[in-house]
Amino acid sequence: MTQLAETLFSNTPPIAWQQLLSLHSSKKSDENSTKIKQVTYCQGQFNISAQAQQVMNAASSHYLTLIGTTVTSDALLNLLSALSQLQVSAQISGDIVIYPPANYPLQLATTDSNAVTNNSSTATTSNNSATQGDIVVLGFTQLTATLQQQFKATLASWSNDYQIDYALSQTLPSLSQPGIVLMDMDSTTIQIECIDEIAKLAGVGEQVAAVTAKAMNGELDFAASLRSRVATLTHCPEAVLTQVADAMPLMPGLELLIATLHQANWKVAIASGGFTYFAERLQTDLGFDAVYANELEIVDGILTGKVIGGIVDAQVKADTLQALAQQYQIAPQQTVAIGDGANDLIMLKSAALGVAIHAKPIVQQQAQVALNHHDLEGLVGLLQAATCVEASWS
């Protein structure tokens, strides 16, 4: 049992929680132990049942996943109370299913699977000594569209207050089955926009960065804006690309995410509106299963200011996710996409779980899930949420 569960149960009425704590510490045989099958909450009351009575119906039910370096009992109780009141006001069954909490790694393991560190000084977890975060999954059997919007408004405020990310979804991809994660590259797998860095070294930094910002916010046609930005790099030496590639700062949690996915027999790929020069370096260094990006034309070590072939735009990214899922025989509910810009929206919406990370406003508004308090270790937490639903309180 996690520390969160023990704190919640020991500090919160009713006394039935003590029965659950006693169950986990009991030395009695399974034959003599009470089996806790389900825990629910409704209007300030917790209920423990020896039978699982709530049925999660895919047509109307949703899972709410909470991930944070620490999810305190106070934070969880405040959220349960607020969401239960919204359900009651909407005259919908107020029972909220609480699944067994779990932990997820915040940093990449080094010497063994239990000891974890992070080699990036910019990591989200760099300001604390925590090596694991808390996962809590709540189940709702009925959520109307109106109630979902009310939930999201409450969750957004609560998330900012407690620095906890959340995902409200109808399905939970599981690491126990094969799956795929398709990632944007710039500002997602790495912390920079490569074209902006090239432009700085080529002396056209401000000009290019302004266009990049508008394109990522969805204010410009992506393909046209990319070609115009690349045109400003005419006569730039290839050595500049190497200089940028050598200094690419990885998004904290990237190596942890890749290791977690490969250990679970998942595929992980990049589909980027950036350039193959950098995507292929990441593939070589980190082991991505596939990368798709735009190819800069380079003649005699000099950029010509042109892109070879078609542009990897929003639709191409979405099509790439579907093609990879078919190639690797991945079930639709096991597809995940993550990105930050407007060029990622179609891809995010085509995945079973679409995740925005430190995203632009338009993406924050439209994405299914937004990571604001995590880096890529947050996706590790979200992908491990299914283990809570699959686990037993007993």
Side-chain angles (χ1 to χ4, degrees):
M1 181 178 292
T2 65
Q3 183 178 1
L4 169 64
E6 293 185 5
T7 302
L8 178 65
F9 299 157
S10 62
N11 294 343
T12 307
I15 196 171
W17 289 132
Q18 297 299 329
Q19 299 173 6
L20 188 55
L21 286 175
S22 298
L23 170 67
H24 283 267
S25 61
S26 173
K27 295 183 180 180
K28 296 180 180 180
S29 67
D30 288 345
E31 293 180 355
N32 297 325
S33 297
T34 301
K35 295 292 187 182
I36 304 300
K37 294 295 184 182
Q38 183 171 272
V39 177
T40 60
Y41 174 94
C42 181
Q43 291 185 279
Q45 295 295 320
F46 291 90
N47 294 289
I48 297 176
S49 174
Q51 295 182 344
Q53 300 170 341
Q54 300 291 332
V55 178
M56 297 296 284
N57 185 329
S60 60
S61 61
H62 286 72
Y63 296 101
L64 175 60
T65 302
L66 312 174
I67 55 170
T69 304
T70 302
V71 180
T72 66
S73 57
D74 285 345
L76 182 56
L77 287 169
N78 288 342
L79 182 62
L80 287 169
S81 177
L83 297 182
S84 182
Q85 288 177 18
L86 289 174
Q87 286 183 303
V88 172
S89 297
Q91 298 182 334
I92 291 177
S93 172
D95 285 351
I96 300 173
V97 180
I98 306 173
Y99 295 98
N103 296 117
Y104 66 101
L106 293 171
Q107 302 167 352
L108 181 66
T110 51
T111 56
D112 59 62
S113 59
N114 295 316
V116 292
T117 59
N118 196 307
N119 61 7
S120 174
S121 61
T122 59
T124 300
T125 55
S126 62
N127 293 327
N128 61 69
S129 59
T131 59
Q132 289 187 315
D134 292 322
I135 308 172
V136 179
V137 180
L138 308 176
F140 301 85
T141 56
Q142 299 182 61
L143 278 188
T144 63
T146 299
L147 191 55
Q148 285 182 53
Q149 292 304 313
Q150 294 175 341
F151 268 32
K152 289 178 180 178
T154 296
L155 283 163
S157 176
W158 178 87
S159 172
N160 289 330
D161 288 344
Y162 292 100
Q163 302 290 290
I164 294 170
D165 282 318
Y166 65 90
L168 186 63
S169 59
Q170 289 190 284
T171 60
L172 292 176
S174 174
L175 291 177
S176 64
Q177 300 293 328
I180 185 167
V181 171
L182 185 61
M183 310 181 70
D184 176 42
M185 180 174 68
D186 297 73
S187 299
T188 299
T189 64
I190 55 179
Q191 298 181 70
I192 59 171
E193 294 287 333
C194 289
I195 193 167
D196 291 355
E197 300 304 311
I198 300 169
K200 288 178 187 177
L201 296 174
V204 290
E206 292 185 6
Q207 176 184 346
V208 169
V211 177
T212 299
K214 289 184 178 181
M216 292 302 96
N217 283 319
E219 300 173 24
L220 299 174
D221 175 76
F222 180 80
S225 71
L226 180 67
R227 293 189 188 280
S228 69
R229 283 177 286 164
V230 171
T232 67
L233 305 178
T234 304
H235 305 309
C236 177
E238 183 180 357
V240 169
L241 304 186
T242 303
Q243 185 177 346
V244 173
D246 289 343
M248 285 188 295
L250 303 182
M251 185 66 72
L254 176 60
E255 292 168 294
L256 167 66
L257 175 62
I258 294 173
T260 300
L261 293 173
H262 282 164
Q263 185 176 14
N265 196 31
W266 276 50
K267 303 296 182 181
V268 57
I270 287 174
S272 173
F275 307 115
T276 54
Y277 197 96
F278 307 101
E280 290 174 355
R281 170 72 75 87
L282 292 171
Q283 182 178 27
T284 299
D285 292 349
L286 299 174
F288 281 96
D289 295 289
V291 295
Y292 302 86
N294 302 301
E295 185 177 357
L296 292 168
E297 185 177 63
I298 303 172
V299 177
D300 297 329
I302 302 295
L303 274 66
T304 67
K306 297 179 181 179
V307 177
I308 298 174
I311 300 295
V312 177
D313 61 10
Q315 189 60 56
V316 171
K317 288 187 175 188
D319 293 344
T320 299
L321 177 62
Q322 300 307 315
L324 288 171
Q326 184 174 8
Q327 176 184 342
Y328 293 119
Q329 298 183 320
I330 303 299
Q333 65 270 23
Q334 291 288 100
T335 59
V336 178
I338 184 167
D340 72 298
N343 196 41
D344 299 314
L345 275 171
I346 301 178
M347 175 181 72
L348 299 185
K349 292 177 180 178
S350 68
L353 184 66
V355 181
I357 179 168
H358 307 312
K360 310 302 182 289
I362 188 174
V363 186
Q364 291 267 359
Q365 294 166 9
Q366 297 185 35
Q368 180 184 5
V369 180
L371 291 176
N372 294 314
H373 307 295
H374 287 76
D375 294 310
L376 288 173
E377 78 284 348
L379 184 53
V380 174
L382 292 178
L383 291 177
Q384 294 190 348
T387 61
C388 296
V389 176
E390 297 163 357
S392 168
W393 282 104
S394 303

